[in-house]
Amino acid sequence: MDFYHAGGSRAMVYGLASRGAGVMRQKFDMPFSRMDWDTRNRHVGRIFLEHAVMTAGIQIAFESACRASEGRVKFIRPDDIPQAATPQPPKHQPWHHWRTALGGKQRTLIPDAAFLLEYAEEPAGKNRRLCLIEADRGTMPLKRSCGSASCIERKLHLYAQLWKSGQFTKISGAHRIQVWIVTTGAERVSHMNEVFTDSPSGRGLFRFTEMSALADPVFILDRQ
């Protein structure tokens, strides 16, 4: 988010504090449930900031593609889903924290972003796709020999486990689930496709792509 000082200089807003949340609610009628802030805003480092900007860029690309579709595809934030249509989750869950068992232990999966795409030309009940986003800047290894350390492979197994359990569909009401792993370059995408060829998943569950490909609305909204 950009803003301008009175003198005309430009600055970037990378975090939201309580006063900023109050302004957003007062001026734009935005509910607090649509905003999230915490103490990390006070200790923002370069890596966190770059990741946050990339995640925001991914969501903007999807929402812009939906707007360009002229009503054929609707962008829906999780908090905008009518509560009557899906069980009401606890605060900040499950869209931010999904839990499942893997390797005999309870694991928590936190997507970088989550939203729904609703296709007007498809029948009700089968016209929603849940998109779960992982913004990859190439800092996390694809695989690790140690099962307790974070890596892309373990995240994929967690997503596949949650998909098989039916949790994603139960909570979102979406007929299709897609996990988008968006990275910074074609070489990284190619490497992921090679490494994860045999990853356990449903048809089309995972999509590996680079950031620049999201500039194409047709690619984003493809119903494959």
Side-chain angles (χ1 to χ4, degrees):
M1 179 186 298
D2 290 344
F3 70 94
Y4 291 85
H5 294 291
S9 60
R10 188 177 183 182
M12 175 176 285
V13 176
Y14 58 80
L16 188 68
S18 57
R19 290 185 181 180
V23 171
M24 294 290 284
R25 182 170 186 175
Q26 180 181 14
K27 291 189 175 295
F28 301 105
D29 194 28
M30 181 179 288
F32 286 132
S33 62
R34 289 267 297 276
M35 296 178 275
D36 186 22
W37 67 93
D38 54 36
T39 54
R40 289 183 301 174
N41 289 338
R42 303 174 187 175
H43 306 283
V44 173
R46 179 183 59 83
I47 294 177
F48 171 81
L49 178 55
E50 290 175 348
H51 183 268
V53 170
M54 182 176 180
T55 301
I58 294 169
Q59 294 182 87
I60 289 170
F62 274 88
E63 190 162 5
S64 297
C66 289
R67 291 180 180 180
S69 74
E70 298 180 343
R72 292 190 299 274
V73 186
K74 183 180 179 181
F75 183 94
I76 305 175
R77 296 178 180 84
D79 292 332
D80 290 334
I81 300 174
Q83 294 300 328
T86 184
Q88 185 171 2
K91 185 178 181 181
H92 296 313
Q93 291 189 13
W95 301 104
H96 298 281
H97 295 77
W98 300 78
R99 292 190 62 80
T100 187
L102 184 67
K105 296 182 179 180
Q106 281 292 317
R107 309 281 187 178
T108 299
L109 180 66
I110 307 176
D112 292 323
F115 49 82
L116 291 143
L117 301 183
E118 185 176 86
Y119 292 81
E121 298 173 355
E122 296 182 2
K126 295 186 177 181
N127 62 341
R128 283 183 172 177
R129 180 204 301 175
L130 172 63
C131 294
L132 300 162
I133 305 299
E134 290 290 337
D136 171 62
R137 293 194 56 79
T139 57
M140 182 179 287
L142 299 187
K143 287 190 173 187
R144 286 186 190 268
S145 57
C146 176
S148 62
S150 295
C151 63
I152 300 295
E153 182 182 44
R154 194 177 81 171
K155 282 195 172 187
L156 298 189
H157 280 284
L158 287 172
Y159 275 115
Q161 182 69 18
L162 284 161
W163 171 77
K164 290 177 181 178
S165 73
Q167 287 192 55
F168 290 142
T169 299
K170 179 181 178 181
I171 296 299
S172 69
H175 179 66
R176 290 288 310 279
I177 315 296
Q178 282 194 329
V179 181
W180 289 74
I181 296 88
V182 183
T183 189
T184 53
E187 185 176 351
R188 176 87 166 171
V189 173
S190 178
H191 194 193
M192 285 182 175
N193 281 318
E194 291 175 3
V195 171
F196 301 124
T197 300
D198 299 322
S199 293
S201 68
R203 182 181 67 85
L205 178 61
F206 298 115
R207 296 194 73 175
F208 303 102
T209 188
E210 59 180 307
M211 192 71 183
S212 61
L214 301 186
D216 181 4
V218 175
F219 172 72
I220 287 180
L221 303 180
D222 180 17
R223 287 173 283 187
Q224 67 175 341

